[in-house]
DNA sequence: GCAATGACGTACC
DNA sequence: AGGTACGCCATTG
């Protein structure tokens, strides 16, 4: 268990209801801008052991990232129940639902342009 | 300990 | 605009 992993767990647990975060965003918030795939791995192991809001994690496009149809539809169900809206293409409006970490975090958003 | 894995992201066809 | 290729690196077998 590395500090990065603990940070990731902490970040995920801090995602408020009705908000989402991307894998890359969590990785950046945890101090490893290129650690998106580690977030995936961590989610795999942690979601079984710990109680994490794994359903509030989506990919950079704002889509459900799960490969299993059953699990992904379940995730969508969870998000819907928290008030998150999907558009026609099944995409979440990240501008609106993405959770921004506090000012303590060096969370760098991509340039608005 | 080394090789494969993975619910990603980004750069390139 | 849509598909492919590859880097990333903690965790797992």
């Amino acid at each position: 268990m590395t500090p990065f992993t603990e940070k990731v767990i902490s970040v995920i647990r801090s995602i408020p209801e009705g908000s989402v975060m991307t894998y890359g965003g969590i990785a950046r918030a945890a101090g490893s801008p290129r650690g998106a795939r580690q977030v995936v791995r961590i989610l795999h192991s942690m979601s079984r052991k710990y109680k994490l809001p794994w359903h509030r994690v989506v990919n950079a496009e704002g889509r459900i990232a799960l490969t299993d149809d059953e699990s992904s539809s379940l995730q969508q169900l969870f998000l819907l129940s928290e008030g998150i809206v999907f558009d026609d293409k099944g995409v979440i409006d990240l501008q609106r639902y993405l959770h921004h970490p506090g000012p303590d975090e060096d969370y760098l958003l991509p340039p608005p342009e």
Side-chain angles (χ1 to χ4, degrees):
Chain A
M1 183 76 91
T2 67
F4 169 70
T5 301
E6 299 180 43
K7 191 69 179 296
V8 168
I9 294 172
S10 169
V11 171
I12 294 176
R13 273 203 326 224
S14 75
I15 304 175
E17 183 175 309
S19 294
V20 298
M21 279 190 78
T22 66
Y23 297 89
I26 292 169
R28 286 200 293 276
S32 182
R34 309 295 133 185
R37 318 213 45 184
Q38 287 59 268
V39 175
V40 171
R41 266 245 158 265
I42 291 165
L43 248 46
H44 263 274
S45 15
M46 296 308 135
S47 58
R48 294 206 312 188
K49 297 186 178 65
Y50 304 79
K51 292 170 61 179
L52 295 177
W54 57 272
H55 55 272
R56 305 206 188 121
V57 185
V58 297
N59 64 20
E61 300 176 40
R63 284 200 182 74
I64 306 283
L66 282 164
T67 55
D68 299 290
D69 294 331
E70 312 171 52
S71 302
S72 60
S73 55
L74 178 63
Q75 179 175 5
Q76 180 172 6
L77 211 57
F78 272 118
L79 296 177
L80 286 172
S81 70
E82 295 189 353
I84 293 178
V85 178
F86 292 77
D87 67 11
D88 337 346
K89 305 183 186 71
V91 180
I92 293 173
D93 182 0
L94 290 180
Q95 305 278 350
R96 184 171 163 190
Y97 297 110
L98 184 62
H99 170 60
H100 295 251
D104 297 312
E105 308 289 350
D106 51 337
Y107 182 82
L108 303 175
L109 288 173
E113 300 303 317

